[in-house]
Amino acid sequence: MDFGDNFDQPEVDPAAEFLAREQSALAGLEDELPPTAAAQPEKVKTEDDSNDFEISYRSAKPPMEEPEKIKKWREDQKKRLEEKDRDEEKKKEELKVQAKKELEDWYKQHEESITKTKSSNRESAKNAEKNFVAESTEIEPGTEWERIAKLCDFNPKASKTSRDVSRMRSIILQLKQNPVAIKRA
């Protein structure tokens, strides 16, 4: 039984046939390239080193050597940068030391000012308490509003955040000038 398969004929490789066609189509291009730009393929390994592939059209010329002036400039530049880095580190350390000293001085000055403020507040509170106790023993009838006026601040300075106390101030001043006798039972 023959199913039309002819196994006796040699097999034709489709890839080889394709390559032959492409070579014949590109045959004239080799003559057009200048001889210095001849391509030399280079093998490059991928990260997993399992697949190799070629990079074509790399120049076959050896890399040009840098001129002596450029080499010298690079060395000088490297030295200058290293020196600048050292200077920067020194300045950083100096600034850190200076900042630490200034911070310590500020804390010392702040602590002194707090201590002075506390002591002056204590002294003024003691004096105010002594005066209040001395005046409280000398209560005379009809001087109550005068004593209240002494305790109140009648400074007309008003800020936007404080309440308006001008009405209370005027009432207390009227009562101080024209005291109302308090009847005791």
Side-chain angles (χ1 to χ4, degrees):
M1 221 178 182
D2 188 17
F3 293 104
D5 293 334
N6 192 357
F7 294 108
D8 296 336
Q9 292 179 357
E11 254 182 60
V12 177
D13 185 19
E17 187 179 314
F18 172 77
L19 288 174
R21 269 190 319 223
E22 291 299 315
Q23 283 179 350
S24 65
L26 298 174
L29 292 177
E30 291 176 354
D31 298 335
E32 294 176 13
L33 292 175
T36 59
Q40 178 179 352
E42 179 181 308
K43 291 276 185 179
V44 176
K45 297 274 188 179
T46 58
E47 289 181 13
D48 60 357
D49 291 330
S50 62
N51 297 328
D52 293 340
F53 62 93
E54 291 184 4
I55 297 177
S56 299
Y57 306 111
R58 290 251 174 161
S59 175
K61 291 191 282 184
M64 290 183 51
E65 195 171 315
E66 284 186 333
E68 190 63 32
K69 287 184 178 183
I70 293 177
K71 285 182 182 177
K72 185 178 179 193
W73 177 83
R74 285 188 195 276
E75 291 171 5
D76 291 344
Q77 185 70 6
K78 186 177 179 182
K79 288 177 185 176
R80 279 192 297 258
L81 290 176
E82 288 172 356
E83 186 177 324
K84 281 186 176 184
D85 287 343
R86 284 192 301 271
D87 291 344
E88 183 182 0
E89 288 298 320
K90 286 179 186 177
K91 287 179 182 178
K92 266 186 177 179
E93 290 301 318
E94 290 172 3
L95 285 175
K96 283 181 182 179
V97 169
Q98 181 183 0
K100 188 174 182 180
K101 183 179 181 287
E102 288 178 3
L103 190 60
E104 288 172 358
D105 291 345
W106 183 84
Y107 276 124
K108 186 186 293 183
Q109 181 183 5
H110 182 67
E111 188 65 34
E112 288 174 1
S113 67
I114 287 175
T115 306
K116 287 178 184 178
T117 304
K118 284 181 181 179
S119 64
S120 67
N121 286 346
R122 285 186 189 122
E123 288 299 319
S124 64
K126 284 180 184 178
N127 291 338
E129 185 179 351
K130 286 180 185 178
N131 290 339
F132 181 73
V133 169
E135 290 177 4
S136 66
T137 57
E138 304 170 1
I139 298 176
E140 295 179 17
T143 60
E144 294 87 8
W145 291 112
E146 194 171 318
R147 289 180 57 218
I148 291 173
K150 285 182 185 177
L151 294 174
C152 293
D153 183 20
F154 289 112
N155 195 356
K157 294 180 187 173
S159 67
K160 293 180 181 178
T161 58
S162 64
R163 290 186 174 184
D164 183 19
V165 291
S166 59
R167 187 167 162 221
M168 182 191 75
R169 186 181 319 123
S170 65
I171 291 172
I172 291 176
L173 287 174
Q174 284 176 0
L175 289 172
K176 179 181 169 188
Q177 292 170 358
N178 301 323
V180 177
I182 298 175
K183 295 182 183 177
R184 296 182 183 223

